[in-house]
Amino acid sequence: MKYYIIAGEASGDLHGSNLMKALLKEDPQADIRFWGGDLMKNVGGTLVKHYRELAFMGFIEVVFNLKTILNNIKFCKKDIAAFQPDAIIFIDYPGFNMRIAKWAKERGIPTHYYISPQIWAWKENRISAVKRDFDHLYVILPFEKEFFEVKHQFPVEFVGHPLIDAIHNQTVNSLEDFIKENQLEDKPIIALLPGSRKQEISKMLAVMLSVVDDFQDYQFVIAGAPSQEHSFYLPFLKSKNVHFISNKTYDLLSHATAALVTSGTATLETALFKVPEVVCYKGSWASYQIAKRIITLKYISLVNLIMDQEVVTELIQEDCNTKNIKTELQKILSTEYRKGLLAKYARLEEKLGGGGASEKTAQLIVRSLSK
């Protein structure tokens, strides 16, 4: 079978690579063409376009890059038409993927959405487009099944969260080896996960690093995004207590004592690694004002959304400042507070179901094509 996969971000590249491995087990003759990143490229198939060319953050940023986005959509349609796949697999990235799905559905190409669009967060009116344009929807958050099936009468498959497998399969070096390999100090580590796009990294590191001098007994280690060059981070590495590693986020979280994390998938990854965290988010003023008016969720982190309670502290916009970050970081470094937080992390993992999300999804896709 011929599969066309579209992943537009770093997290999509991770989940896409594991799905590709599972597809090749189910269908050893699979011919896969994809938009993604280095992890997917390492599995095999043909990389059409790297996600670093696609990622634009925030409402205003999207407007400024609209011409590029529209050109990418046009190119994608042309490439799919030339490849003539048996199925298209969309991974998250809804702004782009839902446009392609509408076009593909009109041409009778089977459409599969793995890691469904978060229309429960905003743009719930997109449900009509989801029902119209997708043949199969695979959800990874427990509350999504009820949202789609009960509230909107659209059958979906809950396959569990793919991060559980990605994290459990992680090979971990000893702390001693990790420190030596990355030329770190012999101090407890506070991990900084500022995101993957230049705009958010610059904004978040500026405020995260403002507390460095208050925690001299710890070392701060920035998790470099695979989509960014090392040179981009150099202006942030002025303190002797700040270090940088690239493309080793899971290694870093395996050994971190605490973390400051920008909202997104990273908040859930950090929790599944059992690392106490503070969630920090600052967007551009205009983008934040727009988001505040159309997103009605109680929380911005996946950890709190899944648990439906404030498990981790969220510092958003004006609240994301030096004083508050210092206070919350001191709190999660205290023994008693950490104990309670880790117990909630254990319950979080139970809610996400068992492992095997990639395998379950690949089986369902191949089975649907063989009917």
Side-chain angles (χ1 to χ4, degrees):
M1 294 286 185
K2 296 166 73 174
Y3 306 88
Y4 199 99
I5 304 177
I6 306 174
E9 299 173 303
S11 58
D13 182 35
L14 170 64
H15 303 319
S17 67
N18 289 326
L19 179 62
M20 286 169 66
K21 291 172 188 174
L23 278 172
L24 288 165
K25 283 183 183 177
E26 294 295 318
D27 181 4
Q29 304 304 314
D31 182 3
I32 304 175
R33 190 170 175 85
F34 62 91
W35 294 43
D38 297 335
L39 294 175
M40 294 172 75
K41 184 179 178 181
N42 291 338
V43 177
T46 303
L47 174 63
V48 179
K49 199 174 278 281
H50 200 288
Y51 68 77
R52 70 170 66 97
E53 300 178 52
L54 311 174
F56 302 104
M57 172 194 167
F59 300 97
I60 303 303
E61 291 80 4
V62 166
V63 171
F64 284 141
N65 291 281
L66 191 57
K67 184 177 179 181
T68 300
I69 294 168
L70 293 175
N71 284 338
N72 282 334
I73 290 171
K74 183 178 179 181
F75 171 76
C76 185
K77 292 175 181 177
K78 185 177 179 181
D79 195 60
I80 292 170
F83 184 58
Q84 296 188 322
D86 295 293
I88 303 178
I89 302 168
F90 303 91
I91 302 179
D92 203 359
Y93 199 50
F96 186 92
N97 276 336
M98 291 187 70
R99 287 172 179 258
I100 301 298
K102 182 177 185 295
W103 173 88
K105 181 71 172 181
E106 289 169 352
R107 283 150 185 79
I109 306 172
T111 52
H112 299 255
Y113 212 148
Y114 177 45
I115 307 180
S116 63
Q118 296 178 349
I119 60 173
W120 40 265
W122 69 300
K123 290 192 176 181
E124 190 169 342
N125 60 347
R126 279 181 166 179
I127 186 63
S128 58
V130 170
K131 287 182 172 183
R132 181 192 66 214
D133 298 331
F134 294 99
D135 299 309
H136 304 277
L137 197 61
Y138 311 101
V139 301
I140 63 172
L141 299 172
F143 60 80
E144 288 180 318
K145 188 169 178 66
E146 181 178 357
F147 172 83
F148 283 106
E149 293 194 337
V150 177
K151 188 173 183 180
H152 292 292
Q153 295 79 53
F154 184 61
V156 301
E157 296 282 355
F158 173 60
V159 294
H161 207 293
L163 279 180
I164 293 176
D165 294 322
I167 290 170
H168 287 176
N169 293 336
Q170 175 78 358
T171 302
V172 181
N173 288 343
S174 67
L175 175 59
E176 184 181 356
D177 287 341
F178 179 70
I179 288 174
K180 185 177 179 181
E181 286 171 9
N182 296 286
Q183 300 177 314
L184 303 178
E185 300 174 71
D186 188 17
K187 291 180 178 180
I189 294 169
I190 295 175
L192 303 182
L193 280 65
S196 60
R197 305 176 181 98
K198 285 185 178 179
Q199 302 103 313
E200 66 180 342
I201 293 170
S202 297
K203 195 177 289 287
M204 296 316 307
L205 280 181
V207 66
M208 288 176 173
L209 292 172
S210 68
V211 302
V212 168
D213 291 341
D214 296 302
F215 296 89
Q216 291 294 324
D217 293 334
Y218 297 84
Q219 58 184 322
F220 289 74
V221 182
I222 300 169
S227 56
Q228 305 300 337
E229 300 293 332
H230 178 255
S231 58
F232 172 71
Y233 292 91
L234 290 178
F236 303 102
L237 304 178
K238 295 175 181 177
S239 169
K240 290 189 293 184
N241 209 28
V242 178
H243 305 273
F244 172 84
I245 61 173
S246 183
N247 206 17
K248 295 181 181 178
T249 301
Y250 281 12
D251 292 339
L252 175 59
L253 289 174
S254 296
H255 298 297
T257 298
L260 301 178
V261 187
T262 298
S263 63
T265 305
T267 62
L268 184 56
E269 290 173 313
T270 303
L272 291 174
F273 271 102
K274 309 300 188 289
V275 180
E277 66 182 299
V278 180
V279 176
C280 308
Y281 180 76
K282 263 182 182 281
S284 69
W285 182 87
S287 289
Y288 177 70
Q289 293 302 317
I290 295 169
K292 190 169 67 171
R293 285 159 175 76
I294 62 176
I295 298 175
T296 57
L297 296 175
K298 288 190 288 185
Y299 308 108
I300 65 167
S301 69
L302 282 173
V303 175
N304 293 344
L305 283 169
I306 293 165
M307 295 296 286
D308 196 25
Q309 61 175 289
E310 188 178 69
V311 173
V312 296
T313 299
E314 299 179 351
L315 300 177
I316 307 169
Q317 215 63 8
E318 291 86 0
D319 290 334
C320 186
N321 57 50
T322 303
K323 180 184 175 182
N324 288 341
I325 291 175
K326 178 183 174 182
T327 299
E328 295 301 327
L329 190 50
Q330 287 172 331
K331 190 187 294 183
I332 64 173
L333 289 170
S334 68
T335 304
E336 279 306 307
Y337 189 87
R338 293 168 67 85
K339 200 178 294 181
L341 184 56
L342 293 175
K344 291 175 182 176
Y345 279 178
R347 291 199 292 276
L348 168 72
E349 188 164 346
E350 288 175 12
K351 274 181 167 279
L352 290 174
S358 302
E359 287 75 13
K360 291 172 190 171
T361 305
Q363 289 168 4
L364 289 166
I365 291 171
V366 173
R367 191 181 305 157
S368 73
L369 293 174
S370 64
K371 287 182 180 178

